[in-house]
Amino acid sequence: MVWKTLIVRVTDSCDGNCYGCLWRKGKVSGFMLPITVVNNVVLCLKDFTFDEAVILCPDPLNNPKILDIILLLKKVTKKTYLFIPMHSISKIRNKRILENIDELVLVTTTPEDFKVNEENLKIILSQGFSNIVLYVACLLYTSPSPRDLSTSR
């Protein structure tokens, strides 16, 4: 059996606070995935089911229709994962978002973000939502070898 994943990027709007993020220095046009586009895709896929939908950064909570998008995606997916930057956890004000996702994936580039946002995390946990995963993204850098720096051969 083939695993089917639907990857969705609902906005390119981001505040650029995640060190090492691919979109940090990228062009931000203010794009918001229209709900009508998601609805049309779901209608076309009515007889097709994905194993999972992954809603990616940049911060999907910046799309004002994120709950509607999640509800539509649930029609064609078995599980829904919402990736958000750790510092955006305070933006989850609508409990229905948490009720309609299978896992909240908090992405950070530094464990200090976890400490800074601990109170917001406790608020979400106190609402009974516990399917939370923390991803610490690393920016790997390897220095060039001396051979690569050599100008003579």
Side-chain angles (χ1 to χ4, degrees):
M1 185 170 141
V2 176
W3 190 265
K4 298 169 293 293
T5 301
L6 177 62
I7 300 173
V8 183
R9 184 175 178 200
V10 297
T11 183
D12 71 353
S13 177
C14 180
D15 57 16
N17 285 335
C18 298
Y19 176 76
C21 176
L22 297 173
W23 292 299
R24 182 178 181 168
K25 295 178 183 169
K27 183 179 177 186
V28 176
S29 66
F31 167 79
M32 297 288 173
L33 183 65
I35 192 71
T36 54
V37 171
V38 179
N39 190 48
N40 289 340
V41 169
V42 168
L43 288 173
C44 290
L45 296 171
K46 63 181 174 189
D47 295 326
F48 189 85
T49 302
F50 289 91
D51 295 293
E52 62 185 2
V54 178
I55 303 170
L56 293 177
C57 282
D59 195 348
L61 297 174
N62 287 340
N63 188 318
K65 297 290 187 178
I66 188 62
L67 177 59
D68 297 327
I69 291 170
I70 291 169
L71 293 172
L72 279 171
L73 292 176
K74 284 180 62 106
K75 294 179 179 182
V76 293
T77 61
K78 295 176 184 173
K79 292 192 179 264
T80 304
Y81 303 96
L82 180 64
F83 281 65
I84 65 168
M86 180 69 177
H87 65 270
S88 294
I89 194 170
S90 62
K91 291 183 187 176
I92 301 181
R93 290 174 174 68
N94 188 339
K95 189 176 178 182
R96 291 194 59 216
I97 290 173
L98 296 174
E99 291 170 347
N100 286 285
I101 61 172
D102 294 286
E103 193 169 88
L104 177 63
V105 182
L106 303 172
V107 182
T108 184
T109 54
T110 173
E112 286 75 31
D113 272 352
F114 183 73
K115 293 175 188 168
V116 170
N117 292 286
E118 186 176 358
E119 289 305 313
N120 290 321
L121 184 57
K122 286 179 181 178
I123 291 169
I124 288 176
L125 291 169
S126 72
Q127 294 175 1
F129 188 80
S130 60
N131 293 335
I132 300 173
V133 176
L134 178 65
Y135 283 17
V136 180
C138 300
L139 181 63
L140 298 177
Y141 174 78
T142 58
S143 60
S145 72
R147 190 174 75 197
D148 293 337
L149 298 175
S150 171
T151 57
S152 64
R153 292 224 162 174

